Amino acid sequence: MRSAKLVAPQKIEFVPDAPEPKTGPGQVLVRVKAVGICGTDVHVWRGERPDVVLPRVMGHEFSGLVETDLGKFKKGDKVVVDPVVSCGTCVSCKRGYPNLCSTVKCLGVQVEGAFRDLIAVPEEKVYRYPKNLSFVQASMIEPYSIASEVIFRGVPISGEKALVFGAGPIGLGILEGLKLKGLSVMVADFVDSRLAKARELGADRAVNGKTEDLAQAVKSFTEDFGLDFIVDAVGSPKIMESAIEMAAPGGRVVVLGFNPTPAQVPELFLVRKELKVMGTRMNCNRFPEVLEWFGGNKVHPDAVLSAVYPLEKIQSAFEHIAEDPENTLKIVITL
Ligand SMILES: [Zn+2]
Ligand SMILES: [Zn+2]
């Protein structure tokens, strides 16, 4: 089978005749058809993730076809796979939080992923997806599961005012999800083309934090009350600091970045406004909700698709992102 392995930072090797994976008990063999490139993959490709051991087959946002019958799955079923790898027996797993497993891993990050023809995955992480979707569209179910997790964690209420920092594919997915829950949503970014995309996807306001006064925009957007729901989809301590300031009484701040730099967060603000600040990691069984979004055409994955490359050209796909990160949203590899 074909496979693409990251062998050194910024160097992916295409292997035309890699050995096929063997399935263990309870594992479904999936023939991969489309795999999205995530920001995480780009960090790994650049050599910025010390927890990733090379060589590594990356790729965790994928769709494909069941290769051999197993349990409720039949050969040819169109499926997507939740990439959270969990043990199933630790305290967090037993409590129902596989994404907080004591040995949690992600396919394509700490273990081999989907940039190859065949992958063996646990049956319970496999989901059939609506027939109306293409393989490329279905590969975007996983990034929307990150958005779904953020929204679930922050407990949105219809009519509330939200602000999403960052209009990349995840930020735009969060925007779409929050609109589905009935919130008014403002989006902030530094790139005008991304803000235009946010408007196209229903943002009530889209503000360029470089050229506009964001604090003033928030004031008028919330009639001086503050923001009920704030998401940092960028991962910056500065954003966390301004989020705490701009939050409304009872507000929630949800973060999903991996920035180790401490933020200066005054306890006084947290207490006076009874704020909730929470992290989110990957997704905790959010695929069913996202499948409903996709099946009902409630979200618009096509709007975030920038380009499609075949597996043989995967190195060029990563270079495309590296050369023009601002104007590139989602790139998908097809097999
Ligand atoms: Zn991802
Ligand atoms: Zn576990």
Side-chain angles (χ1 to χ4, degrees):
M1 68 166 187
R2 297 167 299 164
S3 168
K5 241 179 209 297
L6 182 70
V7 291
Q10 301 186 32
K11 189 164 182 261
I12 300 177
E13 206 174 84
F14 176 74
V15 185
D17 53 357
E20 292 187 2
K22 291 191 175 55
T23 48
Q27 282 194 318
V28 179
L29 191 62
V30 174
R31 182 163 293 276
V32 179
K33 298 305 289 180
V35 194
I37 299 177
C38 173
T40 303
D41 298 317
V42 178
H43 285 298
V44 173
W45 181 76
R46 288 200 178 115
E48 294 166 355
R49 284 284 295 257
D51 59 325
V52 180
V53 182
L54 304 187
R56 171 69 67 233
V57 175
M58 300 184 289
H60 59 271
E61 307 177 348
F62 64 104
S63 62
L65 299 168
V66 170
E67 183 71 2
T68 45
D69 294 2
L70 183 95
K72 62 179 180 188
F73 296 106
K74 296 274 167 282
K75 183 177 165 71
D77 280 353
K78 291 177 154 190
V79 291
V80 285
V81 177
D82 184 339
V84 175
V85 179
S86 51
C87 75
T89 56
C90 74
V91 175
S92 295
C93 281
K94 280 190 182 149
R95 285 180 178 170
Y97 302 101
N99 59 328
L100 302 181
C101 173
S102 60
T103 60
V104 73
K105 293 177 188 70
C106 183
L107 287 179
V109 184
Q110 296 90 359
V111 291
E112 298 294 75
F115 288 129
R116 51 178 164 154
D117 280 317
L118 293 165
I119 184 169
V121 288
E123 186 184 0
E124 68 272 15
K125 306 279 184 183
V126 182
Y127 295 84
R128 265 189 219 96
Y129 66 78
K131 289 193 170 62
N132 56 321
L133 302 176
S134 68
F135 291 122
V136 169
Q137 287 168 330
S139 75
M140 285 190 260
I141 288 170
E142 195 279 342
Y144 276 90
S145 77
I146 309 296
S148 166
E149 177 74 14
V150 163
I151 293 164
F152 176 75
R153 294 270 296 142
V155 194
I157 298 166
S158 180
E160 285 187 328
K161 301 274 168 77
L163 169 58
V164 180
F165 284 96
I170 300 290
L172 292 169
I174 295 166
L175 157 68
E176 287 202 275
L178 286 172
K179 289 305 295 176
L180 287 174
K181 305 285 180 192
L183 281 76
S184 295
V185 186
M186 181 164 160
V187 175
D189 201 286
F190 289 155
V191 181
D192 284 330
S193 60
R194 291 185 172 217
L195 292 166
K197 193 59 84 177
R199 283 186 203 101
E200 184 189 319
L201 289 173
D204 297 273
R205 277 221 58 187
V207 179
N208 189 323
K210 231 183 218 164
T211 54
E212 292 170 72
D213 184 342
L214 182 63
Q216 202 51 50
V218 166
K219 269 191 174 170
S220 68
F221 181 63
T222 65
E223 288 154 4
D224 232 351
F225 184 67
L227 295 154
D228 305 297
F229 197 112
I230 306 175
V231 183
D232 174 9
V234 177
S236 143
K238 283 270 165 284
I239 289 177
M240 163 78 102
E241 288 163 14
S242 41
I244 300 293
E245 247 182 82
M246 291 188 238
R252 285 87 63 210
V253 178
V254 190
V255 299
L256 59 154
F258 270 88
N259 196 321
T261 316
Q264 304 252 344
V265 177
E267 211 173 89
L268 171 71
F269 286 7
L270 298 181
V271 170
R272 202 163 55 193
K273 299 194 274 190
E274 275 202 346
L275 301 184
K276 288 198 181 89
V277 179
M278 57 204 100
T280 67
R281 184 161 194 202
M282 299 191 271
N283 89 93
C284 184
N285 307 317
R286 302 311 302 167
F287 271 59
E289 177 177 54
V290 178
L291 287 165
E292 206 186 293
W293 291 353
F294 272 67
N297 293 315
K298 295 176 183 170
V299 290
H300 304 87
D302 292 340
V304 295
L305 183 67
S306 296
V308 176
Y309 284 81
L311 185 68
E312 287 77 1
K313 296 263 164 67
I314 186 170
Q315 177 69 22
S316 311
F318 275 81
E319 283 163 4
H320 176 155
I321 300 170
E323 279 159 24
D324 192 12
E326 291 195 344
N327 295 301
T328 310
L329 288 168
K330 182 60 69 188
I331 290 189
V332 176
I333 302 295
T334 50
L335 289 90

